[in-house]
Amino acid sequence: MSENNWLFKADPKDYSIDDLANEQHQTTSWDGIRNYMARNLLRDEIKKGDKILLYHSNANPKGLVGLGQVVRSAYPDDTALDQSSVYYDPKSSRDNPIWYMVDVKLVKIFPEVIELRELKETKGLEKMMLTQRGSRLSIQPVRKSEWKIIMQLVSKLK
DNA sequence: GCCAACGTTGGC
DNA sequence: GCCAACGTTGGC
C-alpha cells in the first residue's frame, strides 16, 4: 500500500498557498473541482497520507509553490449543494453527490517558485502531465520518477 | 489580450 | 450517438 503523488493546481487569485498557510491547522477542504476526470482521481485514487505538489496557474511566476498532504480522503463536496456558492451544481444532491473533495494540509512552502519554464527544461519531466501542451487537468497524477526529480530541485533551493 | 486546447452542452 | 457550438482554462 504505497502512497501516491499528485499535483493540485490553483489560481492564486482564487486560492493561493498563502491562503492555505493562514487556515486553521493550515488545512482546507479542496472544494470546487468540477471536472469528471479530476473528480474520479479525488474520489477513487487519492488517499489519506498521499503527498501533493501545489501549483499556481495563471500567475507570475507560475509554477510549483509548495507541498501538501492529504489528511482526509474523499467526501461529498457540499459547495455543490449551496445555491449561493459559485460551485453550486443543481445536478448534485445529498443522496447522489456528484462532486467530491479531500482535505489538504500544508507541509511546506518553497522558498522560491519552481517555475513551469524550469520544469519543462528538466530532464526526466518531459512526459509529466503538467509540462504537456494543453494539459488543463487541475488534479494530476505525478509519477514516482518525476516526484524524485522534483524533490531534488526542491533540495537545491536556498 | 490572444488563442489553442479541451470539456460540456444540446440539437438533431 | 454524433458533432458543432460554446464556455473555460491557462500558457504565452
Side-chain angles (χ1 to χ4, degrees):
Chain A
M1 205 178 74
S2 76
E3 71 185 19
N4 290 308
N5 298 125
W6 310 97
L7 182 149
F8 284 19
K9 256 187 222 176
D11 185 331
K13 290 192 287 296
D14 298 328
Y15 194 86
S16 74
I17 196 165
D18 292 325
D19 294 326
L20 178 57
N22 289 327
E23 301 277 4
Q24 195 172 22
H25 309 303
Q26 300 193 324
T27 299
T28 192
S29 53
W30 206 267
D31 58 21
I33 300 299
R34 295 293 178 268
N35 167 287
Y36 285 103
M37 212 183 302
R39 187 282 309 267
N40 292 346
L41 291 175
L42 279 177
R43 189 190 56 189
D44 306 331
E45 307 286 339
I46 299 179
K47 299 302 176 200
K48 185 175 172 182
D50 285 357
K51 296 217 176 63
I52 300 165
L53 291 166
L54 300 170
Y55 179 82
H56 277 178
S57 61
N58 280 316
N60 189 19
K62 58 183 156 305
L64 300 171
V65 291
L67 292 175
Q69 187 163 28
V70 177
V71 292
R72 181 178 174 185
S73 59
Y75 59 108
D77 181 346
D78 50 18
T79 63
L81 303 173
D82 177 1
Q83 292 201 36
S84 68
S85 169
V86 292
Y87 300 126
Y88 176 64
D89 182 351
K91 293 194 296 298
S92 188
S93 67
R94 207 160 288 283
D95 289 339
N96 187 23
I98 300 176
W99 305 113
Y100 287 79
M101 58 189 179
V102 300
D103 286 355
V104 173
K105 184 181 175 67
L106 179 67
V107 171
K108 179 191 181 75
I109 297 181
F110 298 153
E112 52 193 283
V113 177
I114 302 177
E115 294 191 42
L116 177 62
R117 179 169 38 81
E118 183 180 353
L119 297 173
K120 284 184 169 174
E121 290 168 358
T122 300
K123 203 161 180 294
L125 301 183
E126 299 87 352
K127 292 187 176 162
M128 192 178 177
M129 190 179 284
L130 185 74
T131 62
Q132 306 305 301
R133 181 179 164 79
S135 135
R136 306 191 336 190
L137 202 59
S138 56
I139 304 281
Q140 305 182 353
V142 177
R143 295 178 185 88
K144 278 272 178 288
S145 59
E146 295 160 351
W147 182 268
K148 246 176 121 175
I149 291 168
I150 290 164
M151 288 309 111
Q152 281 173 5
L153 294 177
V154 170
S155 69
K156 285 182 199 153
L157 299 175
K158 292 185 286 292

